[in-house]
Amino acid sequence: MSSKPRPLPTKDGVGPSCVALPAGPWRTMAEFLVQQFPAVSAATWLARMQSGEVVDEHAVPVTPERSYQSHLRLYYYRAIESEPRLPFDEVVLFQDEHIVVADKPHFMPVTPGGRYLQETLLVRLKRRLGIDTLAPIHRLDRETAGIVLFSIQPSTRGPYQSVFSQRTATKHYQAVAPWRPGLAWPLTRQSRLEEDEHFMQMREVRGEPNTETHIDVLKVQGDLALYALSPITGRKHQLRVHCAALGLPIVNDLIYPKLFEADSDDHAKPLQLLAKAIEFTDPITGQARQFTSQQALMLRA
């Protein structure tokens, strides 16, 4: 069953956001929006309404004077003032009628959120390729570089998503971390991961393992080594937590083992973690697919 079309089109690669109107005391819809989104000024909402960029689910424009009506959905375009451009470019490695495969740079989020909107891989690709239906099939951390797959057609999105949900895709990562000759290589790390007290971090706890990572050594140079990481499961920050737990904190990791303050990015020191390659059988064409990142990590003594 196809979803109901949104009453606003994609604009500059960004689809409209939606907010549901609950029962409440607001006199006008504008009054609700200003209270609901304190980070957006009343003047900004006024400008959006005057430009016809706030509508209800029936595509009826919302004016500043329009009376509040609960149990309705409003659509609008989210915007971030003075969003700086990330000085890196994505690379499109492959495109057919069903998927797009991109090589994501470090520091770039896959999807909009928080401080990032236009400078996300999804929005950049929508603008670049002119495909409004583009949607990520899986995710990478903002700090991690490498292979990301996107679905083009909603009708074939499910089969591609199942490749990841059913773990039939083989993912190959690389990381630079301290060399630990005392460990028996190759090795497998299994543990139970849960969210830590700080939302940014995950932690290992006692209990039935819910994560598994295979790790091997590719190259040693001085006090550092280039490691091959093969995650069997796909929990948030799994590779970063497992490496840190083994005494192998990934070079330039600002979350593990120590959480640094927000806005600590240094573009000269990217996290040395790369989603290097992915292999799977295409669920639509039956072809064997293998995609490899063009990027390389910095192994320095």
Side-chain angles (χ1 to χ4, degrees), residues 47-280:
R48 291 176 179 178
M49 292 177 187
Q50 291 175 336
S51 299
E53 296 184 350
V54 183
V55 303
D56 66 20
E57 60 194 67
H58 306 294
V60 178
V62 174
T63 62
E65 304 82 15
R66 184 172 168 181
S67 297
Y68 187 79
Q69 182 181 351
S70 62
H71 309 300
L72 198 65
R73 293 181 182 275
L74 299 188
Y75 289 80
Y76 61 95
Y77 292 114
R78 180 171 175 260
I80 298 177
E81 296 182 6
S82 304
E83 182 182 4
R85 188 186 189 282
L86 291 175
F88 313 103
D89 292 315
E90 72 285 352
V91 174
V92 174
L93 299 175
F94 176 82
Q95 179 180 350
D96 66 8
E97 62 180 312
H98 299 292
I99 60 173
V100 170
V101 182
D103 202 351
K104 183 183 87 68
H106 292 282
F107 302 106
M108 181 179 292
V110 173
T111 57
R115 300 177 293 127
Y116 299 93
L117 180 63
Q118 291 292 334
E119 293 304 295
T120 61
L121 183 59
L122 175 62
V123 173
R124 278 194 177 191
L125 288 175
K126 281 186 174 182
R127 293 201 311 263
R128 174 177 173 178
L129 303 176
I131 304 174
D132 290 346
T133 56
L134 207 62
I137 301 171
H138 65 117
R139 306 295 175 92
L140 286 184
D141 294 341
R142 181 179 68 88
E143 300 91 342
T144 304
I147 301 296
V148 184
L149 273 66
F150 292 83
S151 164
I152 295 176
Q153 299 184 30
S155 60
T156 60
R157 189 162 298 153
Y160 285 102
Q161 290 173 330
S162 69
V163 169
F164 291 87
S165 64
Q166 297 177 11
R167 301 176 186 173
T168 58
T170 302
K171 294 177 284 186
H172 303 281
Y173 287 73
Q174 293 181 358
V176 176
W179 168 229
R180 291 286 306 279
L183 295 177
W185 301 103
L187 60 80
T188 296
R189 182 73 174 187
Q190 292 180 319
S191 66
R192 184 168 191 82
L193 293 191
E194 293 183 358
E195 289 190 358
D196 204 348
E197 294 178 357
H198 194 288
F199 75 95
M200 284 292 293
Q201 290 182 308
M202 301 289 286
R203 63 189 175 98
E204 291 188 328
V205 299
R206 292 181 179 180
E208 184 71 19
N210 59 5
T211 60
E212 180 177 350
T213 304
H214 299 169
I215 308 177
D216 204 352
V217 182
L218 295 175
K219 182 178 181 182
V220 178
Q221 184 172 316
D223 294 333
L224 297 176
L226 178 66
Y227 295 94
L229 311 175
S230 299
I232 305 304
T233 53
R235 304 282 292 187
K236 174 183 174 182
H237 293 177
Q238 175 179 321
L239 300 181
R240 299 164 76 168
V241 175
H242 280 178
C243 283
L246 290 166
L248 306 170
I250 299 175
V251 171
N252 299 329
D253 195 336
L254 299 180
I255 299 180
Y256 302 96
K258 176 185 176 181
L259 178 62
F260 286 77
E261 294 183 2
D263 301 322
S264 296
D265 283 355
D266 182 345
H267 289 168
K269 297 179 178 180
L271 175 70
Q272 291 301 285
L273 179 60
L274 173 66
K276 185 63 177 180
I278 191 167
E279 303 172 42
F280 62 95

